Amino acid sequence: MIRIDLHLHTFFSGDSTISPKFIVNQLYSHPFIKGVAITDHDTLDGYIQVRKLAAPYRDILIVPGIEVSTQWGHINILGVEEKPEEWLTIEGVVDFAKERGGVIILPHPYRGSGVNERIRDIPADAIEVFNPHATYEQNKMAEKMARARNLPEVAGSDAHDPQEMWTAYTEVKAELSVESVLNAIRKGLTKPKSVKQP
């Protein structure tokens, strides 16, 4: 089993102050969280830097990811190391992810930049049911929808500042590899957690 923060931003997002080096140092020294998905807004630059800095460390995992801005809300894709020239529609983002074997996660679906009621129709692999920036009610709505759609439940800190890091994470029954983690998410071998319930 690996504990992994599936939603974290570097300063390449533009609205984050977290440096790639700080992420690697904190991940290496953390007592039990040993994985992170870098999900910067519409760029993979942060992931590339974090992966490079983490290369010497064998006991931490960096998952490629991107938080995609669509006209109807944000969608996270894990497991892809490229992005198209531009994002046009939710359908286009879904097709792009599926063609490359990416895992589609709907982050904070009921918050301002979430997909809201379109959550019912998007062919996702998982739903983020705990996000520290969402309200209790918004997280509960996401959880209810994940269960109604029989989709795996995940959590991530959605950190944009250092003090927000690791405030939520996901226990994944997987080996310490990207492929193993992605397959486990697809199979629903996940358990969302917050720092209040380690």
Side-chain angles (χ1 to χ4, degrees):
M1 183 191 67
I2 180 173
R3 295 178 177 93
I4 180 167
D5 187 338
L6 290 174
H7 189 173
L8 192 142
H9 297 268
T10 74
F11 54 47
F12 284 96
S13 277
D15 58 353
S16 170
T17 60
I18 307 172
S19 75
K21 184 176 182 181
F22 187 79
I23 291 171
V24 173
N25 290 342
Q26 292 297 305
L27 191 62
Y28 177 72
S29 63
H30 198 281
F32 59 86
I33 294 176
K34 293 300 173 184
V36 64
I38 304 299
T39 53
D40 282 322
H41 296 292
D42 304 309
T43 181
L44 289 156
D45 293 345
Y47 158 71
I48 292 167
Q49 289 297 317
V50 173
R51 181 190 64 190
K52 189 181 302 181
L53 292 166
Y57 305 101
R58 296 182 178 271
D59 64 339
I60 62 175
L61 179 68
I62 311 302
V63 176
I66 186 168
E67 184 165 3
V68 181
S69 302
T70 77
Q71 81 277 36
W72 301 120
H74 292 176
I75 296 176
N76 282 1
I77 305 174
L78 304 185
V80 298
E81 297 192 34
E82 61 177 304
K83 70 181 188 74
E85 291 302 315
E86 57 182 83
W87 304 105
L88 297 176
T89 64
I90 286 177
E91 292 77 14
V93 172
V94 169
D95 289 345
F96 174 83
K98 297 289 186 187
E99 288 167 4
R100 289 157 181 80
V103 167
I104 298 170
I105 297 176
L106 303 179
H108 48 72
Y110 293 102
R111 219 180 68 204
S113 56
V115 295
N116 287 287
E117 292 310 315
R118 292 174 184 84
I119 191 175
R120 301 175 186 276
D121 307 313
I122 299 171
D125 295 296
I127 294 177
E128 185 180 78
V129 301
F130 184 79
N131 179 303
H133 302 282
T135 66
Y136 174 83
E137 292 77 14
Q138 289 167 341
N139 283 327
K140 279 299 177 185
M141 288 169 66
E143 181 182 283
K144 183 177 178 182
M145 182 55 68
R147 293 177 181 178
R149 291 192 56 187
N150 196 30
L151 287 175
E153 301 174 18
V154 300
S157 68
D158 195 5
H160 288 71
D161 295 302
Q163 66 270 21
E164 298 170 348
M165 293 169 62
W166 325 134
T167 51
Y169 60 94
T170 303
E171 288 183 352
V172 184
K173 291 182 181 177
E175 301 298 320
L176 195 69
S177 78
V178 171
E179 183 178 357
S180 181
V181 166
L182 297 180
N183 286 336
I185 293 172
R186 290 186 186 100
K187 293 175 182 176
L189 303 176
T190 59
K191 187 173 183 180
K193 306 287 277 185
S194 76
V195 291
K196 295 180 181 177
Q197 39 180 204

